[in-house]
Amino acid sequence: MYFVEKEEEIAGKKVFYIKQPVGEKDIIFMHGKSYTASDFLKLNDTLIGLYNLKYRIYAFDFPGFGKSQPNNIEPVNFIEAFVDYKKLDNFVLFGASMSGGFALKYALLHPEKVRAIIAAAPAWIQNEIEQFKNLNVPTLLLWGANDNKVDPKIGNKLKEIMPNARLHTFRGLSHPFYFENENLFDQYFFDFLKNLDEK
């Protein structure tokens, strides 16, 4: 398994992204406000597991984050631009915190492109939960029970309203639970993906 670093012009500005180019299925990792694409490289066991399941992996720096140039494009429109640029279809979308919210909003606009969503404590949606009642894309909602940035109760509300969502809350973990306990995160992450492959 190896990763390639790229800097290419997308939506009119330079965008940095990393890619694991070998596989038959695609997954996009999207970082939270305090992180960048490169932080996902810390999840070594997760990435090896994805490689073994034949996933190509993409992770980009949002405009103005990490090594990507600032751009006034809306985040959901940027995701659309990246997906179009890479000609991706039927992919899994992983979003953490702010980008978990972006993942849900993107899938609401383009459900035909998204195979599944994994949203880690999706942020900036507490006043917009009602709009996701018609989002039928298979979704795994994950939260740390001790999250003091995005209220875990939002997860319960999303689970109640979304027709194809499951929720797990990790006891004793906080906002970046996937970094705090990668092994525990992987259990639920890969169970969801394997169930997806069996359908």
Side-chain angles (χ1 to χ4, degrees):
M1 183 181 70
Y2 65 99
F3 279 84
V4 178
E5 295 187 356
K6 297 276 191 178
E7 286 188 355
E8 296 175 352
E9 186 175 305
I10 302 174
K13 299 289 184 179
K14 183 183 74 175
V15 171
F16 173 83
Y17 68 94
I18 55 178
K19 176 184 178 182
Q20 189 290 107
V22 179
E24 300 169 358
K25 299 165 286 189
D26 294 310
I27 185 168
I28 302 173
F29 277 83
M30 303 192 300
H31 63 82
K33 189 176 181 181
S34 301
Y35 299 95
T36 67
S38 298
D39 285 303
F40 287 118
L41 296 176
K42 300 172 187 174
L43 298 175
N44 189 60
D45 289 346
T46 308
L47 299 176
I48 290 172
L50 285 168
Y51 176 80
N52 290 337
L53 289 178
K54 296 182 168 37
Y55 275 92
R56 281 181 296 266
I57 304 164
Y58 298 86
F60 54 70
D61 286 343
F62 273 99
F65 289 83
K67 300 176 184 177
S68 290
Q69 289 181 328
N71 194 334
N72 61 6
I73 188 171
E74 289 292 324
V76 172
N77 293 338
F78 173 76
I79 298 169
E80 183 177 25
F82 184 87
V83 167
D84 290 348
Y85 179 80
K86 300 306 298 181
K87 297 181 172 60
L88 301 179
D89 193 32
N90 197 36
F91 52 87
V92 176
L93 200 51
F94 175 92
S97 193
M98 71 167 188
S99 64
F102 300 155
L104 293 171
K105 292 176 181 179
Y106 174 85
L108 198 61
L109 294 172
H110 303 283
E112 76 287 350
K113 285 188 169 291
V114 181
R115 184 170 174 234
I117 305 160
I118 301 170
W124 302 348
I125 58 168
Q126 60 266 32
N127 297 322
E128 307 171 77
I129 291 173
E130 189 70 23
Q131 70 176 312
F132 301 115
K133 65 182 180 182
N134 295 319
L135 179 55
N136 197 33
V137 174
T139 300
L140 176 62
L141 303 165
L142 297 172
W143 245 277
N146 297 344
D147 194 325
N148 61 1
K149 293 186 178 180
V150 184
D151 191 341
K153 291 178 182 177
I154 294 172
N156 294 324
K157 293 177 182 177
L158 286 170
K159 170 67 171 63
E160 289 173 8
I161 203 168
M162 293 176 65
N164 201 358
R166 64 172 78 171
L167 168 68
H168 182 77
T169 303
F170 296 99
R171 290 182 183 177
L173 300 184
S174 63
H175 192 55
F177 57 83
Y178 41 94
F179 289 136
E180 293 174 346
N181 193 328
E182 182 184 356
N183 289 339
L184 190 58
F185 162 66
D186 280 351
Q187 289 179 31
Y188 292 87
F189 180 80
F190 285 114
D191 179 66
F192 178 74
L193 290 180
K194 289 172 182 175
N195 284 339
L196 198 63
D197 285 344
E198 291 171 359
K199 292 180 179 178

